[in-house]
Amino acid sequence: IERKIRGLVIGLILIFVIVSVQDGFMGGLAGKYLHTSRPDFYVTSNGSFNSIQTLQPIDDRLQKELETVPGVRGVFGLRIVDVRYGSHLVKMNAYDEVPPDTFEVPYSYFQVMDRPVAEAGRDLYHGDPRSVMVSESFTGLYGKKTGDVIDLQVVDKKMPFKIVGIVRDLSAGGGWVYISRARYKALWQDSLVTGIAFVLKKGADLERVKNTVDERFASSHGLIVTLDKGNKQKLETLLRRSFLGLYCVEIVCVLVATLGFISSFLIEIQNRARELAILRVLGMSKKELSVFLATEAALLGAGAGTASLVFASPVSWGVISRSLPTIFGWVIEFRLQTALCVSLFALGVFISVFSSLYSIRWATRLDVVEANQSE
């Protein structure tokens, strides 16, 4: 890469990587909560799904009482526990089956990646009694795929389970296993639930149902409403605010690239002072010289934009698909976006042309006689 655009290329690569990580993180998180928030709301004990250890389990017999709340179509328990896989502890999420006709796409509360979700859901709930699905991070950590068999510790013995689908789950850093709660309950002899999901009847008033649950069960059973659909937008807003630091880094990258190009282009123009003076003597006007130099800067910017795209795409893929899962356990989808590529190319051209303005001003004010005599 030519020295005068090297800094610009590096700055554009950093911007591309940062934006790709942001987009993949936001897209993955939004995708996860689009699926896991299919129920209208959840109730748990006083605590948070973000800190499972703070939640007190609930006796699943309470589900029968909750189903009597006006406007409720059905309630479904989920149990989150640690299970041992080999020498590792992984999270297990046991779901009650939501009737397939509840949602437009059956079993769409799972974000299955490698096969139709309806087929994976049927296999999980109605196929082999020892069927499970695993998170994408589980496959990355342990090299497993759909169709493979894994041995899980069930109470005091190991049992084989067949993987019937791969689920995208951004929070699944150490790997998750998903199982039918009916089968979990029978094998682990555990009738408790970590949370209860509510699906309302068509036309039911969400706030009224939530208030009824609060009035009838909050104080007597210590339940709170959490993760309702309205929280998805709040969560995305909070996450975007958490990216403000990265936005600042992007601005710094633009400033550094701009200053670097201003310096290198000015040095280049100063080294060509005699050449520019000769062009002026031969009849080139100041306006024509300005257009000539701006065009040269734009071509350099186009070259920097192209070079940055060539290098940035594999770098971003490596960071998102390899580094982040290894370091943090986050599995984020890398998406090569046309809009981002075009924007990065245009940014390279804009920075180079904008940065060349001072050099052009210097060149148009050049003393022709002095420049010719200087060499």
Side-chain angles (χ1 to χ4, degrees):
I1 299 175
E2 195 170 344
R3 181 182 56 81
K4 56 175 166 286
I5 64 170
R6 193 174 299 157
L8 179 56
V9 170
I10 293 173
L12 293 175
I13 290 174
L14 289 175
I15 292 171
F16 188 95
V17 172
I18 292 170
V19 173
S20 295
V21 170
Q22 288 175 314
D23 175 73
F25 199 82
M26 287 299 300
L29 189 70
K32 176 193 171 184
Y33 281 97
L34 175 65
H35 287 75
T36 58
S37 296
R38 288 285 186 170
D40 292 283
F41 63 92
Y42 293 82
V43 296
T44 67
S45 63
N46 191 17
S48 169
F49 274 126
N50 295 324
S51 184
I52 300 299
Q53 63 270 21
T54 66
L55 296 175
Q56 292 296 321
I58 305 167
D59 192 314
D60 66 357
R61 288 176 293 184
L62 183 61
Q63 291 180 230
K64 293 294 183 182
E65 296 182 51
L66 292 171
E67 286 178 343
T68 65
V69 174
V72 173
R73 178 178 177 177
V75 298
F76 310 94
L78 61 124
R79 182 70 166 127
I80 302 175
V81 295
D82 289 324
V83 297
R84 186 163 292 280
Y85 169 62
S87 60
H88 305 278
L89 277 179
V90 298
K91 292 291 184 183
M92 172 172 280
N93 202 333
Y95 280 93
D96 277 336
E97 181 183 18
V98 179
D101 61 349
T102 302
F103 304 121
E104 183 178 348
V105 179
Y107 309 109
S108 56
Y109 42 95
F110 292 113
Q111 193 177 3
V112 180
M113 299 172 52
D114 61 337
R115 58 184 303 205
V117 64
E119 293 179 8
R122 281 195 297 271
D123 285 347
L124 183 69
Y125 288 104
H126 303 289
D128 189 318
R130 295 183 184 175
S131 295
V132 296
M133 291 195 285
V134 297
S135 67
E136 186 181 14
S137 59
F138 186 98
T139 66
L141 288 169
Y142 307 116
K144 298 298 181 180
K145 62 183 184 301
T146 296
D148 288 348
V149 174
I150 57 175
D151 292 326
L152 300 176
Q153 189 74 28
V154 180
V155 190
D156 59 351
K157 59 182 177 181
K158 289 184 179 180
M159 288 187 179
F161 292 84
K162 182 181 179 181
I163 299 174
V164 297
I166 309 299
V167 176
R168 169 158 291 131
D169 193 335
L170 190 63
S171 65
W176 284 63
V177 177
Y178 304 87
I179 191 172
S180 157
R181 199 176 77 84
R183 290 168 179 169
Y184 165 82
K185 185 176 177 180
L187 292 171
W188 273 265
Q189 296 297 302
D190 178 8
S191 62
L192 300 176
V193 292
T194 306
I196 299 172
F198 281 70
V199 176
L200 305 187
K201 294 177 181 177
K202 187 175 181 179
D205 188 299
L206 175 62
E207 290 301 319
R208 179 176 295 178
V209 174
K210 286 169 59 179
N211 291 336
T212 302
V213 172
D214 277 337
E215 292 169 5
R216 289 175 54 180
F217 300 97
S219 59
S220 59
H221 294 85
L223 301 182
I224 60 170
V225 176
T226 184
L227 284 179
D228 63 270
K229 288 184 174 179
N231 283 344
K232 177 177 179 287
Q233 185 175 2
K234 296 177 184 177
L235 179 64
E236 289 185 359
T237 301
L238 181 64
L239 188 62
R240 290 187 186 281
R241 289 177 181 173
S242 70
F243 279 132
L244 287 177
L246 288 180
Y247 296 144
C248 294
V249 174
E250 291 175 26
I251 293 172
V252 170
C253 288
V254 171
L255 291 176
V256 170
T258 302
L259 292 174
F261 192 85
I262 289 174
S263 175
S264 60
F265 196 69
L266 179 60
I267 292 173
E268 175 75 12
I269 294 303
Q270 289 175 339
N271 290 337
R272 294 163 53 193
R274 190 164 183 269
E275 172 194 337
L276 299 177
I278 292 173
L279 291 174
R280 291 293 312 282
V281 170
L282 294 176
M284 179 177 280
S285 66
K286 290 185 177 181
K287 182 178 180 180
E288 290 172 334
L289 180 61
S290 298
V291 172
F292 172 73
L293 294 176
T295 302
E296 181 179 333
L299 291 174
L300 287 171
T306 303
S308 64
L309 289 175
V310 170
F311 289 103
S313 298
V315 169
S316 298
W317 178 85
V319 169
I320 293 173
S321 301
R322 292 291 181 264
S323 299
L324 289 181
T326 300
I327 298 172
F328 299 106
W330 295 338
V331 179
I332 303 174
E333 181 181 6
F334 172 67
R335 299 183 295 179
L336 184 61
Q337 299 183 76
T338 303
L340 176 58
C341 294
V342 172
S343 299
L344 194 74
F345 182 85
L347 181 62
V349 175
F350 173 79
I351 289 176
S352 60
V353 173
F354 176 79
S355 302
S356 69
L357 295 180
Y358 180 78
S359 301
I360 292 172
R361 183 171 177 269
W362 182 90
T364 55
R365 294 185 175 187
L366 184 66
D367 187 306
V368 175
V369 175
E370 182 180 342
N372 277 301
Q373 293 176 347
S374 63
E375 295 186 17

